[in-house]
Amino acid sequence: MRPTTHPITRRITCGVRNLPWRRLYPASVRWRLTLLYSGLFVATGALLLGMTYLLVTHSEAGRTTAVQEGASYGELGPGTPAVVRTIVADTRQDQLHQFFVEACVAFALVALVSLALGRLMAGRVLAPLRTMTAAARRISADNLHERLAVCGPEDELKAVADTFDAVLARLEGAFEAQKQFVANASHELRTPLTLQQTIVDVTLADPDAGPEALRAALLRVRAAGQEQERLIDALLTLARSQQGLERREFVDLAAVVGDLLPTGGPPVEARLAAAPVLGDPQLLERLVVNLLDNAVRHNLPAGQGGWVSVWTGVDAAGRAALRIANSGAVIPADQAPGLFQPFRRLGADRVRGRDGLGLGMSIVSAVVAAHGGRVLAHTHPRGGLTVEIMLPAAPGDGPEASVTRMSPGLHPRVRQGVGSA
């Protein structure tokens, strides 16, 4: 959640920003840099001029004393020392005054020159920023492929430009993913709607349709509606996972997996050790349901030696880990990362069937990301897949007892879960 500012504090801050003296402050960065450069020059120049004036004054005073002490009384007469002292003092004052006036005039001229040079240099320094600003204004949602592409030395300005280009690249990827997701979701939602419309039209076009035909049509329409409901629930779960966690509770992945172990289908070998996590219990349960559902559904047909292996515990890095492996069809290694994309199906499952929605693995990836973890998928050369989940571990309260369970079937709660890749 974003921190909020109290209305009174916000009103005071706005009031300070609107003070009269703030209006005299230049809004242009170029003028600010110009005034900064000129101000620093004037300050250092005034200090140098003052020190020079003091040194010259001290030097002239010493020379006057030397002249007075070195004067010959016999040659100049009895009244000469006083006259010489007066003449020397007046001459010294005139020279110091002339030096001060000329130095101030020269200093004023140099200050004006420094102001002009400061503005020129500030403009040259800020020129890349103006170019970047103009390019950024041209870039919109329709041309996110464009980049600033600033050339030059590896300085702070180029670092800002490179960072902005990286942000544009991420935005472009997000926009493309959003467009693809919306297109896929629209297609997935349109399919059951089209099916419902076709069933209704065919039934209405049959003048001899009896109660049994009408009942069968209604059942098919109801099944299509239930499919829509499951898809919408999956989309809402995916959106909720991508928004982050609203609450965090202590959850042991071993306990969650133990309650959801399949009780039908291929045999399941489970080695469950404590894997404590601070997270959302509902999202973590959905993660486990989807993974187990995928492991059972995308397996070898009955009687061909299919298997499922489940492991939970704490890995060497101190993270809570869940690993689910299964047998199944051979999956190319380069296609494994694509399993976490929405509506991505492989092989025969590219066409909808077997109750798969194509959102199970994308929901798993979103839940893991919301918990600050990582998910990896590894293919087996002989077929099947291994999915590893690593989440930040929470301090466990109970002993880390390890159990081994053998389960031959599919749990009823798994049948209700949302699948799958």
Side-chain angles (χ1 to χ4, degrees), residues 252-277:
D252 189 355
L253 291 179
V256 176
V257 174
D259 293 338
L260 299 173
L261 279 178
T263 56
V268 178
E269 179 183 0
R271 291 176 293 175
L272 308 179
V277 177

Side-chain angles (χ1 to χ4, degrees), residues 193-369:
L193 288 175
T194 304
L195 179 60
Q196 288 177 334
Q197 185 69 31
T198 303
I199 295 173
V200 172
D201 292 341
V202 170
T203 305
L204 292 177
D206 185 5
D208 299 328
E212 294 298 331
L214 293 176
R215 181 178 180 84
L218 290 176
L219 289 176
R220 295 179 63 186
V221 170
R222 180 186 179 188
Q226 290 176 344
E227 186 178 4
Q228 286 180 307
E229 184 179 0
R230 290 197 301 270
L231 178 58
I232 293 174
D233 288 341
L235 292 174
L236 291 176
T237 301
L238 180 61
R240 177 190 169 193
S241 303
Q242 293 174 341
Q243 290 177 354
L245 301 182
E246 297 180 356
R247 58 172 182 167
R248 291 182 181 269
E249 298 180 8
F250 181 87
V251 180
D252 189 355
L253 291 179
V256 176
V257 174
D259 293 338
L260 299 173
L261 279 178
T263 56
V268 178
E269 179 183 0
R271 291 176 293 175
L272 308 179
V277 177
L278 285 178
D280 190 314
Q282 294 182 356
L283 292 180
L284 291 175
E285 182 178 353
R286 176 57 60 89
L287 178 147
V288 174
V289 166
N290 287 355
L291 289 177
L292 291 175
D293 194 11
N294 284 345
V296 173
R297 177 181 293 133
H298 302 284
N299 213 307
L300 295 176
Q304 296 189 10
W307 54 270
V308 176
S309 175
V310 183
W311 176 87
T312 62
V314 179
D315 62 9
R319 299 170 298 187
L322 166 64
R323 183 170 62 244
I324 298 179
N326 70 315
S327 58
V330 177
I331 301 176
D334 59 344
Q335 296 186 13
L339 293 173
F340 300 103
Q341 299 297 326
F343 305 106
R344 180 66 62 90
R345 301 179 181 88
L346 302 178
D349 291 332
R350 296 178 71 90
V351 181
R352 289 183 60 159
R354 303 172 66 183
D355 298 328
L357 298 176
L359 288 174
M361 296 298 283
S362 59
I363 291 176
V364 168
S365 177
V367 171
V368 172

Side-chain angles (χ1 to χ4, degrees), residues 20-92:
W21 64 270
R22 293 281 295 182
R23 300 174 185 175
L24 301 177
Y25 194 70
S28 172
V29 177
R30 184 176 182 180
W31 272 113
R32 294 180 189 178
L33 291 177
T34 301
L35 294 179
L36 177 63
Y37 297 155
S38 300
L40 291 176
F41 174 80
V42 169
T44 55
L47 180 62
L48 178 62
L49 180 62
M51 294 179 62
T52 304
Y53 184 80
L54 291 177
L55 292 175
V56 171
T57 302
H58 180 73
S59 175
E60 291 294 335
R63 291 177 58 188
T64 300
T65 303
V67 170
Q68 292 177 355
E69 292 178 353
S72 174
Y73 289 85
E75 296 178 357
L76 297 178
T80 300
V83 174
V84 171
R85 188 180 302 109
T86 302
I87 294 175
V88 170
D90 293 341
T91 304
R92 181 171 62 87

Side-chain angles (χ1 to χ4, degrees), residues 134-153:
R137 287 175 177 172
R138 291 195 305 268
I139 297 174
S140 63
D142 297 330
N143 54 351
L144 284 176
H145 61 278
E146 295 186 9
R147 298 292 182 268
L148 300 181
V150 174
C151 301

